[in-house]
Amino acid sequence: MLFTRRSLTKLIVPLIFEQLLNVTIGMVDTIMVASCGEAAVSGISLVDSINILLINIFSALASGGAVVTAQYIGKGDIKEGCESANQLVISIVAVSAVISSAALIFRPAILHMVFGTIEPDVMNNALIYFMLSAFSYPFLALYNAGAALFRSMGNSKLSLYTSLVMNLINICGNALFIYGFDMGVLGAALATLISRICASLFMFIMIVNPHNIVHIENLLPLRINWGMVKNILRIGIPNGLENSMFQIGKVLVSSLVASFGTAAIAANAVAGNIASMQVIPGSAIGLALITVVGQCVGAKEFQQAKEYTFKLMLMNIAAVGLTSFIVCLNVRGIAGLYNLTDETADLAIKLMLIHGIFAPCIWTPSFSLPNALRAANDVKFTMIISILSMWFCRIMLSYILGRYMGLEVIGVYIAMICDWVVRSICFMWRFWKGKWMQKQYI
């Protein structure tokens, strides 16, 4: 067996804690910004929907590099694993630098094009937050690449420790800039930028350590191995297109939600933070599946890949069910942590309950299971299904239910559940048929 119960635990538990840490800090961050008013929360929420879209482009490259590296590790070809790490870092820094430059240049145009006319104070906060977010993209990309490479080696503790330090810097920076210097959204953005710079530098120092199974070496002079880059992009591009189209859809939906008023924007932002907490185990196990299935595929142990996936998915459903149950029992207390009006708080509670009821059995196969397929290079199928489901279920239904049937943001969440159902059915059928076993590239 490539993985024992102990090695799986050592891989998954730090990932769960890291996801919990990130979501918790996200909540704390939102609460701290909420002291500046709902316009600040709304402005950050709108920009974050664009940030996620842009960040997912190089996050997809990191995932592609992690799959390739994990497969080389499973195959026992460490030399090529190190080469894949080199090429991943070069590629991801170059792509993120281009994205950062474009975001800085076209920042006002992007916000006006996507969200149209919104309240002036919300737009001003969004412009400030977007500017400093764009500066952080290359640093965040380098951090993501390093974290993905360590996960491909089965070492998820390092990214947990790095994330812990990064988030502590972020929170301390928030306290200093928001409460100490009264800098509002600018302070929150500056704290995020500084924390990402520190995390990327630490991760780079660790990934060049030759004592790691896979490490970066001989970066200078820059040398492009087009064959290796092609392997990374063969996985990264479909994954990037899938994630990008998904996030474009979410941006369009956010634009729709923005048309329902500031209360809907703020409620959606709060519910989104809590929803992220509900699916922490799913996100963590989804990341673990890339390492586990990737190494099994590299070693051509397909039956083990199948067995591990079934075990991890059952664990996933149980864990997401538990977190969702806890959140649903405490929605009013959670909503009370935010500085919201009664109208906004009531709406946020309804959204949290909708998500919590359906997440355990539907979200898990729709978002965690595809990682097992991607780790086996079956990326085109997941891309096609995800894009079609996003556009025909989530977006179209959101406009039909939300705008034309008058359900507003509640209709948007109903459309989201329908999207999950379609994805789940398609991905479970694909995995069961076993065609993913024929998609190796290395």
Side-chain angles (χ1 to χ4, degrees):
M1 299 288 285
L2 290 175
F3 292 88
T4 63
R5 179 177 296 180
R6 182 179 179 183
S7 62
L8 283 175
T9 301
K10 289 175 66 177
L11 174 64
I12 294 171
V13 170
L15 288 173
I16 292 176
F17 277 109
E18 182 180 352
Q19 295 290 321
L20 176 62
L21 174 67
N22 290 336
V23 173
T24 302
I25 295 301
M27 291 174 57
V28 173
D29 193 47
T30 303
I31 292 171
M32 295 176 85
V33 173
S35 65
C36 304
E38 289 189 4
V41 176
S42 299
I44 290 178
S45 174
L46 295 180
V47 172
D48 277 342
S49 62
I50 298 176
N51 278 342
I52 294 172
L53 166 63
L54 299 175
I55 290 170
N56 265 301
I57 296 175
F58 48 81
S59 292
L61 287 177
S63 297
V67 169
V68 172
T69 303
Q71 290 187 12
Y72 277 123
I73 292 173
K75 188 180 180 181
D77 193 343
I78 303 304
K79 180 179 179 181
E80 288 299 295
C82 291
E83 178 64 13
S84 69
N86 277 28
Q87 298 304 310
L88 171 61
V89 169
I90 293 171
S91 302
I92 203 168
V93 171
V95 170
S96 61
V98 171
I99 293 173
S100 178
S101 299
L104 287 169
I105 295 171
F106 300 108
R107 178 172 49 99
I110 291 171
L111 290 174
H112 284 291
M113 178 182 66
V114 174
F115 299 111
T117 302
I118 57 178
E119 297 174 13
D121 52 348
V122 174
M123 177 59 77
N124 289 336
N125 284 319
L127 285 168
I128 293 170
Y129 193 74
F130 198 5
M131 178 181 66
L132 291 183
S133 293
F135 278 117
S136 74
Y137 294 156
F139 302 103
L140 184 59
L142 181 58
Y143 164 76
N144 283 343
L149 290 171
F150 275 105
R151 285 194 297 267
S152 70
M153 294 181 260
N155 182 356
S156 56
K157 286 185 178 179
L158 185 68
S159 61
L160 169 62
Y161 297 150
T162 308
S163 180
L164 176 61
V165 173
M166 177 172 65
N167 283 302
L168 285 175
I169 293 173
N170 188 27
I171 291 300
C172 291
N174 279 344
L176 176 63
F177 297 134
I178 295 177
Y179 299 133
F181 296 145
D182 195 24
M183 296 173 65
V185 170
L186 176 60
L190 186 59
T192 300
L193 173 60
I194 293 172
S195 67
R196 289 176 177 177
I197 292 173
C198 294
S200 66
L201 292 176
F202 176 76
M203 190 62 74
F204 182 77
I205 291 171
M206 297 305 297
I207 199 63
V208 298
N209 187 339
H211 292 98
N212 297 315
I213 298 174
V214 171
H215 56 274
I216 296 171
E217 54 187 11
N218 302 323
L219 275 178
L220 297 175
L222 293 179
R223 176 181 52 83
I224 306 297
N225 183 335
W226 292 110
M228 188 65 70
V229 171
K230 183 178 179 181
N231 282 338
I232 295 172
L233 294 181
R234 190 182 280 128
I235 299 169
I237 288 178
N239 194 21
L241 286 174
E242 174 188 338
N243 290 341
S244 296
M245 295 303 293
F246 178 75
Q247 294 303 327
I248 287 173
K250 289 186 70 172
V251 169
L252 292 175
V253 172
S254 295
S255 180
L256 174 64
V257 172
S259 69
F260 300 144
T262 301
I265 298 173
N268 187 52
V270 171
N273 282 337
I274 305 305
S276 298
M277 177 169 287
Q278 291 173 7
V279 298
I280 282 172
S283 300
I285 293 176
L287 291 174
L289 278 169
I290 293 177
T291 299
V292 173
V293 176
Q295 289 194 22
C296 288
V297 169
K300 301 188 185 302
E301 295 285 351
F302 296 107
Q303 187 58 36
Q304 286 193 40
K306 201 169 185 178
E307 291 174 3
Y308 286 133
T309 301
F310 278 125
K311 290 178 182 178
L312 292 175
M313 290 303 295
L314 289 175
M315 183 191 307
N316 200 337
I317 290 171
V320 173
L322 177 61
T323 56
S324 296
F325 179 71
I326 293 172
V327 168
C328 287
L329 283 181
N330 298 280
V331 286
R332 291 199 175 275
I334 293 171
L337 296 174
Y338 295 85
N339 186 25
L340 303 174
T341 62
D342 291 341
E343 176 191 3
T344 304
D346 289 341
L347 185 55
I349 288 171
K350 292 177 183 178
L351 299 182
M352 285 187 280
L353 288 174
I354 292 173
H355 190 280
I357 291 170
F358 291 97
C361 293
I362 308 177
W363 184 93
T364 297
S366 64
F367 287 98
S368 294
L369 183 58
N371 276 348
L373 301 176
R374 296 183 188 107
N377 305 321
D378 193 7
V379 289
K380 291 183 180 179
F381 179 82
T382 60
M383 176 188 71
I384 292 170
I385 294 300
S386 296
I387 291 175
L388 290 178
S389 180
M390 182 70 188
W391 285 91
F392 286 99
C393 292
R394 185 172 296 198
I395 297 175
M396 289 183 62
L397 277 179
S398 289
Y399 276 85
I400 292 172
L401 297 175
R403 172 167 294 175
Y404 300 111
M405 294 186 65
L407 295 177
E408 296 192 344
V409 71
I410 299 294
V412 169
Y413 269 61
I414 294 173
M416 176 183 70
I417 302 301
C418 294
D419 174 40
W420 293 358
V421 171
V422 172
R423 290 168 184 266
S424 297
I425 292 172
C426 293
F427 293 142
M428 288 190 291
W429 172 83
R430 182 71 167 187
F431 187 81
W432 183 260
K433 295 292 289 184
K435 194 172 181 179
W436 53 274
M437 299 180 187
Q438 306 166 13
K439 297 290 184 178
Q440 315 159 64
Y441 291 138
I442 69 169

